[in-house]
Amino acid sequence: MKVSLEKAAALLSHGEVVAIPTETVYGLAASLKQETAIQKIFSLKGRPQDNPLIVHIADVKSLKVLVSDVPCFFDKAASLWPGPLTIVFPANLKNVPDVVRAGLDTVAVRIPFHPLTLKLIKMTGPLVAPSANLSGSPSATSVKHVEQDFGQNFPVLDGGRAEKGVESTVIRLHGNSWELLREGGYSEERLSEVIGRGPVAIKNQDEKPRSPGMKYRHYSPKCQLILCASQEEIQEKENLARGVLGFSDTQTQLPLFSLGKRNVFSENLYELYHNLRQLDEKQLRVVLVDMDFDKTELGATLANRLEKAAAKL
Ligand code: TXA
Ligand code: MG
């Protein structure tokens, strides 16, 4: 149910959960001051309690009360705000409730690039928000997607279709380096250009992943996805499937769900969750995925999301 900006602010201030638009994906928001509402986010999503949430702010000065230390490189990284970048800081434990951090001593923060949500945060103060989807499912990039997961009566601030279509990149700044915790709307290459030192990317999940969300099932439609490395593999496996998730030039006899032009990643990511959700709307059981694209720049983000969606982990 679409609500006005004023109504969204009032609901949030009274301890309700409201879906909000960002440039990446829709978020399921609660006020940082409303712990009961924050708890409710976990139960609405079916989100594991040990997966912490991102705090959304409207300006850099709001960071002060949330963090206990601002690592070097921060100024360079923050030049990418507002935008699809989340930075993990040592938390000010007093001002960021345990439930937001899932018991960690760090807090993830970002300034989203969406005029409505920036206005909203100025009215309400910091908003805690994970992506507005049921845990494990493809993220929501439109009001329709939010309503698919949480019902027609769920309050949503309508900001149109999400412009990027994929979540923020999550990084952690260290003394003289930085780590990539989750691929996202800014590529590793772009971050290296702006921040400077090359990242120490976490490719394998260690026993205690630094970004707890990485260990859970993610972005998965109900249907089974079979990743195909080449056009030949698609042709070989056509008899196993009822559709293909690919690009405008993918050759197939099956119905094609197109992510737009091959290797035009901004377009491909914009179309990604919309198409993953379409596969379930059409009740397809098995779908082939055309993975024959460059894995550099935002192609790495596209590959990451498709691999996770297919692996169901
Ligand atoms: O674009 C986005 O980031 C969207 C919009 C709504 O802002 N939000 C989003 O939130 O994708 P969520 O909850 O779906 O993903 C947040 C990721 C999870 O992988 C979580 O584990 C990680 O950020 N994270 C949150 N707090 C963290 C922390 N203190 N340390 C390490 N990772 C953290
Ligand atoms: Mg999510």
Side-chain angles (χ1 to χ4, degrees):
M1 183 179 55
K2 295 182 188 177
V3 294
S4 66
L5 185 64
E6 291 69 28
K7 177 80 178 169
L11 288 169
L12 289 161
S13 303
H14 286 99
E16 300 290 336
V17 176
V18 176
I20 58 165
T22 84
E23 81 284 26
T24 58
V25 298
Y26 274 71
L28 204 57
S31 162
L32 182 66
K33 293 177 229 143
Q34 301 281 349
E35 279 198 49
T36 314
I38 297 171
Q39 267 308 343
K40 197 171 156 197
I41 290 177
F42 283 86
S43 52
L44 279 166
K45 274 185 69 99
R47 183 179 179 97
Q49 289 286 339
D50 67 349
N51 195 1
L53 305 175
I54 297 172
V55 181
H56 296 70
I57 56 176
D59 45 47
V60 174
K61 69 177 190 298
S62 312
L63 193 66
K64 250 216 223 119
V65 296
L66 303 175
V67 308
S68 65
D69 182 32
V70 174
C72 57
F73 288 143
F74 169 69
D75 288 347
K76 286 181 178 169
S79 70
L80 294 168
W81 278 350
L85 176 68
T86 294
I87 306 176
V88 174
F89 296 92
N92 180 330
L93 303 184
K94 245 184 19 239
N95 294 339
V96 184
D98 212 54
V99 59
V100 173
R101 297 178 275 108
L104 300 174
D105 56 7
T106 55
V107 59
V109 184
R110 101 172 176 101
I111 303 182
F113 186 77
H114 196 292
L116 266 185
T117 290
L118 289 172
K119 260 193 197 159
L120 181 67
I121 298 170
K122 285 191 179 133
M123 295 161 85
T124 58
L127 293 178
V128 166
S131 51
N133 54 277
L134 294 172
S135 221
S137 302
S139 300
T141 54
S142 67
V143 172
K144 178 182 156 196
H145 294 165
V146 175
E147 292 183 349
Q148 279 173 346
D149 283 15
F150 301 105
Q152 301 281 337
N153 291 329
F154 197 85
V156 190
L157 178 62
D158 182 8
R161 197 166 151 186
E163 184 193 313
K164 291 266 172 219
V166 73
E167 298 81 355
S168 61
T169 304
V170 182
I171 65 168
R172 182 160 180 184
L173 305 174
H174 284 286
N176 60 358
S177 186
W178 56 276
E179 280 176 317
L180 180 68
L181 302 183
R182 178 180 72 179
E183 285 92 345
Y186 281 128
S187 69
E188 199 170 307
E189 290 88 339
R190 176 84 200 280
L191 289 172
S192 298
E193 237 172 69
V194 174
I195 304 176
R197 306 265 173 107
V200 187
I202 301 178
K203 296 292 185 200
N204 295 313
Q205 295 156 23
D206 45 19
E207 239 169 69
K208 205 170 167 214
R210 267 150 283 195
S211 183
M214 297 200 311
K215 67 177 183 266
Y216 293 110
R217 185 169 84 91
H218 263 106
Y219 322 118
S220 296
K222 294 190 184 73
C223 70
Q224 185 195 344
L225 299 176
I226 302 177
L227 303 185
C228 299
S230 63
Q231 296 283 327
E232 294 71 44
E233 192 177 348
I234 292 174
Q235 257 120 56
E236 270 162 41
K237 294 189 171 157
E238 271 187 342
N239 60 330
L240 301 175
R242 288 296 166 83
V244 177
L245 181 64
F247 304 96
S248 47
D249 61 350
T250 302
Q251 301 295 317
T252 178
Q253 304 297 326
L254 298 173
L256 176 65
F257 294 80
S258 173
L259 301 177
K261 288 195 204 75
R262 193 182 302 271
N263 295 325
V264 181
F265 302 123
S266 55
E267 193 177 332
N268 305 154
L269 292 168
Y270 177 77
E271 292 293 345
L272 178 67
Y273 292 128
H274 174 73
N275 275 275
L276 284 174
R277 282 178 177 260
Q278 287 255 309
L279 305 178
D280 285 344
E281 282 167 36
K282 302 258 186 290
Q283 300 189 319
L284 302 185
R285 302 270 298 274
V286 185
V287 171
L288 306 180
V289 183
D290 185 344
M291 294 294 285
D292 184 12
F293 56 85
D294 293 343
K295 310 295 187 301
T296 56
E297 299 282 342
L298 290 175
T301 301
L302 181 62
N304 167 272
R305 295 305 191 268
L306 289 170
E307 281 160 12
K308 290 217 160 202
K312 299 203 179 288
L313 51 81

